[in-house]
Amino acid sequence: MMTSRHSPSPATRPVARMNKMLRSLAATLALGSVAFVAHAQSSDDQALIQRGAYVAHLADCAACHTGIGGKLYAGGLQIKTPIGAIYSTNITPDAGSGIGGYTFEQFDQAVRQGIRKDGSTLYPAMPYPSFARMTEDDMKALYAYFMHGVQPVAQTNKAVDISWPMSMRWPLAIWRKVFAPTPTTATTAPSDDNPIALGEYLVTGAGHCGACHTPRGTGMQEKALDGSSPDFLSGGAPIDNWIAPSLRSNPNSGLGRWSEEDIYYFLKTGR
């Protein structure tokens, strides 16, 4: 039988078939490697988002950034202050009314330094003096969660209800420079192997317990931001008719008679 000029001879056909099989195998392995890497990246991303959800729960972001009967993280909750009412903002990833247009650097600057994307200073009802203690890793996880784990909601932010001149924001920059700490340079949070350090990190950082449970000074700043002062967690002013009692170890006014189980159960159930 005669063969075409371009067809392999009978002697070379096994070699041609072998080369074809090797090329197919190489292509399959290459695709498998790409798929494996993509799956690994997806798994890493998902783990980061889950960590961010955990941090958001620690910080109780939903409590302030969800209006009564409103959508999760869409803002609109009225917060009464001595100078008037402000309203929590939309922190969903909606590009128009939320934080969808924020880079990580802008998000980090807002949360840990109290500086908005436009450069103005946030009202300190946002507890950025506490959030300044959060690590960069937790901030990256929080950003991943809000950008990829939260449903975007198109809901315009409400204007503050504060009369001039107290409504001016430029004095807030002075307040921030005087009372707000520099964000921590630590990248990772303490581990479970050091429960006291981890507890301090949760209480003084994401948990921002002092924002309510520490008395305020004449500038409406927290009198202390950590346990180095006896004022820290010694009891705050009434907020919306709720009393923020002392969380210190005093057996009469604080938690001195509470067991670990008592504290756990109260934080879990509110009772």
Side-chain angles (χ1 to χ4, degrees):
M1 181 176 66
M2 296 183 62
T3 59
S4 162
R5 186 170 53 131
H6 300 289
S7 299
S9 68
T12 60
R13 282 175 186 169
V15 176
R17 283 198 296 268
M18 180 62 71
N19 289 337
K20 184 176 181 181
M21 290 174 60
L22 289 174
R23 287 195 297 270
S24 296
L25 179 60
T28 301
L29 290 174
L31 288 173
S33 299
V34 171
F36 176 79
V37 171
H39 175 72
Q41 291 175 339
S42 177
S43 298
D44 290 344
D45 291 344
Q46 192 59 40
L48 190 65
I49 292 170
Q50 290 176 352
R51 172 68 184 181
Y54 170 74
V55 175
H57 279 86
L58 285 176
D60 204 9
C61 303
C64 288
H65 286 277
T66 304
I68 297 175
K71 294 184 178 181
L72 186 64
Y73 298 128
L77 182 71
Q78 185 187 63
I79 301 172
K80 296 178 181 178
T81 76
I83 60 174
I86 63 177
Y87 297 88
S88 62
T89 55
N90 184 340
I91 56 172
T92 74
D94 180 72
S97 54
I99 60 172
Y102 277 59
T103 64
F104 168 73
E105 288 72 20
Q106 292 167 336
F107 176 81
D108 181 66
Q109 191 174 51
V111 175
R112 295 202 296 170
Q113 298 182 51
I115 301 174
R116 299 195 309 186
K117 185 179 179 181
D118 64 3
S120 60
T121 300
L122 295 169
Y123 286 99
M126 166 69 171
Y128 59 85
S130 295
F131 292 160
R133 294 173 176 266
M134 294 173 62
T135 64
E136 184 176 342
D137 283 356
D138 276 351
M139 287 303 305
K140 289 179 178 178
L142 196 63
Y143 180 75
Y145 170 64
F146 278 111
M147 291 300 171
H148 305 292
V150 172
Q151 185 70 27
V153 179
Q155 178 172 300
T156 304
N157 293 316
K158 294 184 179 181
V160 299
D161 189 15
I162 299 175
S163 300
W164 190 87
M166 301 302 292
S167 60
M168 293 189 297
R169 285 187 180 264
W170 67 264
L172 295 174
I174 300 175
W175 187 98
R176 171 170 50 82
K177 291 179 180 179
V178 173
F179 297 119
T182 301
T184 181
T185 56
T187 55
T188 57
S191 68
D192 294 342
D193 296 334
N194 192 344
I196 293 178
L198 177 59
E200 180 185 19
Y201 173 72
L202 297 179
V203 167
T204 61
H208 64 282
C209 302
C212 291
H213 291 272
T214 296
R216 300 269 174 169
T218 55
M220 291 188 286
Q221 82 285 6
E222 295 169 52
K223 288 186 175 181
L225 294 172
D226 57 40
S228 62
S229 168
D231 286 324
F232 183 62
L233 302 180
S234 61
I239 301 174
D240 287 340
N241 298 319
W242 289 88
I243 302 296
S246 171
L247 300 181
R248 297 184 71 86
S249 59
N250 186 291
N252 296 316
S253 61
L255 304 178
R257 298 180 182 179
W258 290 49
S259 67
E260 181 179 336
E261 184 178 355
D262 291 334
I263 296 173
Y264 168 81
Y265 186 79
F266 181 79
L267 291 176
K268 186 177 179 67
T269 67
R271 295 180 291 179

